[in-house]
Amino acid sequence: MSAFDSIRNIYCVGRNYALHAKELGNAVPEQPMIFSKPTHALHPAAGTLRLPGGVGEIHHEIELVVRIGAPYEADKPLEQLIDGVALGIDWTARDVQSALKEKRHPWLLAKGFKGSAVLSDFIPYEEGSRFSELQFSLLKNGETIQSGSPAEMIFSVQTLVDYIGANFGLDAGDIIYTGTPAGVGAVQDGDLIEMKLTPPGGAETTFGPLRIEL
């Protein structure tokens, strides 16, 4: 049984870091921007990932991912709703997305292709965990090219859980990609990708490497 088999819904948050919105020329949203990916998009954080070729640039967007472990209730604290944290990459076919945005069409073709939701192993989320003190980064060929912290989010993890739970529902097995910091960019054939997560007062965990094929 794959570790992904227990995942039910994949919710993603757009433009949740102000500098990322700015680097793409987008306005900072006044409420969370939510979209989803099919579970067929899931891919482990190590090995080889074949991304679609011939569609223009494919951009990396590293994100903190949280896993829901219990049915959503508005009065439940996060430690009773979230049972794990991970890192993920929301791969985006940027040229495809730009064309879709011009036509005011949904983003699914640009965001939901196979392999577009890379996901690391989950680390248990324990009571008292402090999202604001987590640090994460993405390395390409050994060079750090994206880094961030939930402290920089426009909408906190609590806000996102409440918004998604109230509007769409959340239950055990649902996961949330919480948005990407600035520094997104294209990958090339043969690139090696790694992700790093550092908890407050804890040891750094490295996920990968992931070899890109285009």
Side-chain angles (χ1 to χ4, degrees):
M1 178 178 178
S2 167
F4 293 155
D5 289 345
S6 62
I7 295 176
R8 300 173 70 245
N9 295 300
I10 304 172
Y11 295 106
C12 303
V13 184
R15 304 179 195 173
N16 200 26
Y17 288 74
L19 290 179
H20 170 58
K22 182 178 179 180
E23 73 180 344
L24 295 183
N26 295 319
V28 174
E30 297 182 359
Q31 64 182 22
M33 294 179 57
I34 308 301
F35 61 96
S36 64
K37 291 176 182 266
T39 53
H40 296 296
L42 289 166
H43 192 284
T48 299
L49 172 61
R50 177 70 180 178
L51 293 172
V55 297
E57 292 188 348
I58 306 291
H59 283 201
H60 54 77
E61 298 188 10
I62 188 172
E63 311 199 3
L64 180 74
V65 182
V66 298
R67 182 177 62 197
I68 304 300
Y72 174 77
E73 295 178 19
D75 58 346
K76 276 188 178 179
L78 286 181
E79 58 263 27
Q80 293 182 21
L81 291 171
I82 293 173
D83 70 358
V85 296
L87 292 179
I89 303 176
D90 166 22
W91 292 104
T92 303
R94 189 68 70 199
D95 295 333
V96 174
Q97 185 190 38
S98 296
L100 292 169
K101 287 166 64 177
E102 287 181 3
K103 298 176 182 178
R104 298 188 177 183
H105 288 180
W107 296 355
L108 188 57
L109 283 174
K111 290 282 194 178
F113 51 87
K114 288 184 179 180
S116 65
V118 162
L119 185 63
S120 76
D121 294 334
F122 279 90
I123 297 172
Y125 175 82
E126 299 176 353
E127 184 174 356
S129 294
R130 297 162 297 197
F131 283 116
S132 63
E133 297 181 33
L134 290 171
Q135 301 285 333
F136 58 90
S137 58
L138 183 143
L139 288 75
K140 182 174 72 173
N141 303 323
E143 178 185 356
T144 300
I145 53 176
Q146 262 192 290
S147 60
S149 168
E152 304 164 4
M153 289 179 179
I154 299 169
F155 304 105
S156 68
V157 174
Q158 181 71 67
T159 299
L160 297 176
V161 168
D162 286 336
Y163 184 87
I164 295 170
N167 286 281
F168 307 107
L170 283 170
D171 207 337
D174 293 340
I175 63 174
I176 304 172
Y177 283 65
T178 59
T180 193
V184 303
V187 288
Q188 306 296 326
D189 185 63
D191 282 345
L192 290 178
I193 301 295
E194 295 176 293
M195 298 184 291
K196 294 188 176 182
L197 176 65
T198 306
E204 180 180 81
T205 301
T206 300
F207 302 102
L210 185 68
R211 184 181 184 277
I212 302 301
E213 289 187 355
L214 284 170

